[in-house]
Amino acid sequence: MHIRRRLRSAAPPVRPLTPPRHRRTRTGGAVLAVAALLVSACSGSSSGSPSSAAEAALAALPKATPAALTSYYGQKLSWRSCGVPGFQCATLRAPLDYDKPDAGDVRLAVARKKATGSGKALGSLLVNPGGPGGSAIGYLQAYAGIGYPAAVRARYDMVAVDPRGVARSEPVECLDGREMDAYTQTDTTPDDAEETDELVAAYQKFAEGCGARSPELLRHVSTAEAARDMDILRAALGDAKLTYVGASYGTFLGATYAGLFPDRVGRLVLDGAMDPSLPARRMNLDQTAGFETAFQSFARDCVRQPDCPLGKRADQVGARLKAFFRKLDAHPIPTGDADGRKLGEALATTGVIAAMYDEGAWAQLREALTSAMKENDGAGLLFLSDSYYERDADARYSNLMFANAAVNCLDLPPAFSTPDEVREALPEFEKASPVFGEGLAWASLNCAYWPVRATGEPHRIAARGAAPMVVVGTTRDPATPYRWARALAAQLTSSRLLTYEGDGHTAYGRGSTCIDSAINTYLLRGTPPAQSKRCA
């Protein structure tokens, strides 16, 4: 799936990422990357409806701490300077395998910024930007710790932990920079058997690289394990209950925590919600439709601007963009890249999808498309694609795509097992999105070649007995369709659904006074918004 927060892309089927916003914040090549981040929730079934497993609900863990975990829960964090003014860092130990706590530890990076106000402290506020694979510490230091409302930062210690396998917390590694360059340029709309074989080979090489470089960790980076790590952190911070703001995939992580530890739920905000009951194929299909919805909003806006390179009528935009992609598939264009990369269909598609996460990026996308289509200059779209993949000028990638695939492919079985299954599903995906459907369908094949068997399955999360939680959904969210927010709110027995009628991925901190006021009131006073409150 693609879920996250910033301009990024996806890789194997994964979950939603969060887009370009706080740092520009869950699929396989250009689209490859997009789809992986997209489909974090895969199911063992290839059908479009929930499998029988989805009828099961996540069971709460016993309230008493198991004796084998006592040493972890009794940890005292040793805070030190991070090198970033105002922030402190520490290391948290967690068992690599919760079923065998004596088998070794994983060391998790934690960061905080102490509450800035003199009023009554409310404890710690844990934040997660999504992914899976997004660095929570990077998000805290670049945005949440300095950009969240002053009243919230005054009362809470702002805290983040990079989940196991992510960024500073024993990161999963798969490919080097040059190998990733090749991977992100792989054609995800194969025209014949040879191109299909090349795509499958790219997925296999990616998976084999992960298996070779992170063999043990790869078995223990599930969302359920990351949620259990958060409870150890809660105890180490000295908080009786967890207060948390999670975006995109972070909503799945937060909801999983609530399902496992309902009695320890404090104030939880789940923004840009995912539906944990969906099998992979349905999730990918919903997300494909979500990107089409966002693209149609972009199209309507584009034709009203004097610099739109895609026509004067909204109904022309999709066909013209798809024709441009086909042209790039046959004849990539120069980008001026120091490493000689040209802009082909894969990188261009990722660049366009990256801009769908945030309407604030639409002007940048128009400019990039104009340069590519009229001046034969692909630099602008390559920049958007690189931002999505978190690639720097020295061809170094963050581990976002590696962690994204590792979590997604472990959480649930693949949406498709063979190229033939993808071909059978193409009409359905192309109906959901004439522009992006084909690429996103093929991107959903990635987990089929994963070296570790999935340990999860689709399920409902009820979290019975938990304190009130706030689920936030945006009506034209491309990465986490609004129906997912409604579905999660219906599953969580104590949730309130807060709706933002607008564009973009996630809602908190995006300019809506109505949304921000409702969430701030909840975080500061514990008063959730009225059920089904809507903000324009």
Side-chain angles (χ1 to χ4, degrees), residues 302-305 308-314 316-317 320:
C302 186
V303 297
R304 291 196 292 265
Q305 311 302 326
C308 181
L310 294 168
K312 298 298 183 182
R313 300 200 328 259
Q316 298 175 331
V317 171
R320 293 192 177 189

Side-chain angles (χ1 to χ4, degrees), residues 59 66 72 119 170 215 222 238 255 262 272 305 328 330 337 367 373 386 413 431 439 443 493:
Y72 294 105
E170 302 195 16
S222 69
Q305 311 302 326
L328 292 176
D337 176 57
E367 181 179 354
M373 298 175 74
D386 283 350
K431 180 179 179 181
T493 55

Side-chain angles (χ1 to χ4, degrees), residues 185-192 195-196 198 321-333 342-349 438:
Q185 295 177 75
T186 303
D187 186 354
T188 53
T189 57
D191 299 318
D192 52 35
E195 291 187 350
T196 300
E198 290 173 355
L321 182 62
K322 190 169 183 177
F324 175 60
F325 286 159
R326 284 196 296 267
K327 180 180 178 181
L328 292 176
D329 188 28
H331 303 289
I333 62 176
K342 290 188 174 183
L343 184 76
E345 180 183 14
L347 293 176
T349 303
E438 181 182 6

Side-chain angles (χ1 to χ4, degrees), residues 268-352:
L268 263 62
V269 177
L270 307 176
D271 183 15
M274 292 183 57
D275 178 359
S277 73
L278 295 179
R281 174 169 167 172
R282 174 59 186 274
M283 182 169 276
N284 286 341
L285 193 61
D286 281 358
Q287 198 166 42
T288 298
F291 276 96
E292 182 66 19
T293 296
F295 178 73
Q296 291 304 321
S297 290
F298 164 75
R300 290 189 293 271
D301 178 78
C302 186
V303 297
R304 291 196 292 265
Q305 311 302 326
D307 62 341
C308 181
L310 294 168
K312 298 298 183 182
R313 300 200 328 259
D315 60 0
Q316 298 175 331
V317 171
R320 293 192 177 189
L321 182 62
K322 190 169 183 177
F324 175 60
F325 286 159
R326 284 196 296 267
K327 180 180 178 181
L328 292 176
D329 188 28
H331 303 289
I333 62 176
T335 63
D337 176 57
D339 296 307
R341 290 177 300 159
K342 290 188 174 183
L343 184 76
E345 180 183 14
L347 293 176
T349 303
T350 299
V352 172

Side-chain angles (χ1 to χ4, degrees), residues 35-310:
L37 290 171
L38 235 188
V39 174
S40 168
C42 309
S43 102
S45 168
S46 294
S47 67
S49 59
S51 68
S52 58
E55 298 304 314
L58 182 66
L61 293 171
K63 293 182 180 181
T65 300
L69 299 180
T70 301
S71 64
Y72 294 105
Y73 273 87
Q75 290 177 79
K76 302 297 181 184
L77 295 174
S78 178
W79 296 101
R80 61 187 183 276
S81 172
C82 283
V84 179
F87 292 87
Q88 298 174 307
C89 291
T91 301
L92 180 79
R93 291 185 304 108
L96 174 66
D97 184 347
Y98 276 92
D99 291 331
K100 300 176 182 178
D102 59 351
D105 298 343
V106 290
R107 296 187 176 272
L108 308 176
V110 183
R112 76 174 178 184
K113 186 175 184 184
K114 293 286 288 181
T116 57
S118 57
K120 181 181 178 182
L122 293 174
S124 305
L125 172 56
L126 190 65
V127 297
N128 183 282
S135 171
I137 292 178
Y139 174 73
L140 175 73
Q141 294 177 341
Y143 175 71
I146 56 178
Y148 264 37
V152 173
R153 291 183 285 114
R155 305 285 298 283
Y156 284 102
D157 290 346
M158 301 294 295
V159 179
V161 56
D162 280 347
R164 51 176 63 205
V166 174
R168 298 164 178 82
S169 293
E170 302 195 16
V172 169
E173 299 293 343
C174 301
L175 302 177
D176 64 28
R178 298 306 174 195
E179 290 170 331
M180 273 298 289
D181 276 350
Y183 180 73
T184 60
Q185 295 177 75
T186 303
D187 186 354
T188 53
T189 57
D191 299 318
D192 52 35
E194 181 179 358
E195 291 187 350
T196 300
D197 289 344
E198 290 173 355
L199 178 59
V200 168
Y203 286 140
Q204 291 173 330
K205 182 175 182 178
F206 185 98
E208 289 167 359
C210 298
R213 301 185 190 197
S214 303
E216 293 302 318
L217 184 61
L218 216 58
R219 303 175 185 277
H220 297 288
V221 291
S222 69
T223 296
E225 289 165 308
R228 297 187 71 173
D229 295 343
M230 291 202 304
D231 197 54
I232 292 176
L233 176 59
R234 172 203 57 77
L237 292 169
D239 293 326
K241 297 196 174 186
L242 180 75
T243 298
Y244 173 84
V245 176
S248 197
Y249 161 77
T251 67
F252 180 67
L253 180 59
T256 300
Y257 179 91
L260 294 174
F261 306 102
D263 59 309
R264 298 172 195 170
V265 168
R267 301 169 188 179
L268 263 62
V269 177
L270 307 176
D271 183 15
M274 292 183 57
D275 178 359
S277 73
L278 295 179
R281 174 169 167 172
R282 174 59 186 274
M283 182 169 276
N284 286 341
L285 193 61
D286 281 358
Q287 198 166 42
T288 298
F291 276 96
E292 182 66 19
T293 296
F295 178 73
Q296 291 304 321
S297 290
F298 164 75
R300 290 189 293 271
D301 178 78
C302 186
V303 297
R304 291 196 292 265
Q305 311 302 326
D307 62 341
C308 181
L310 294 168

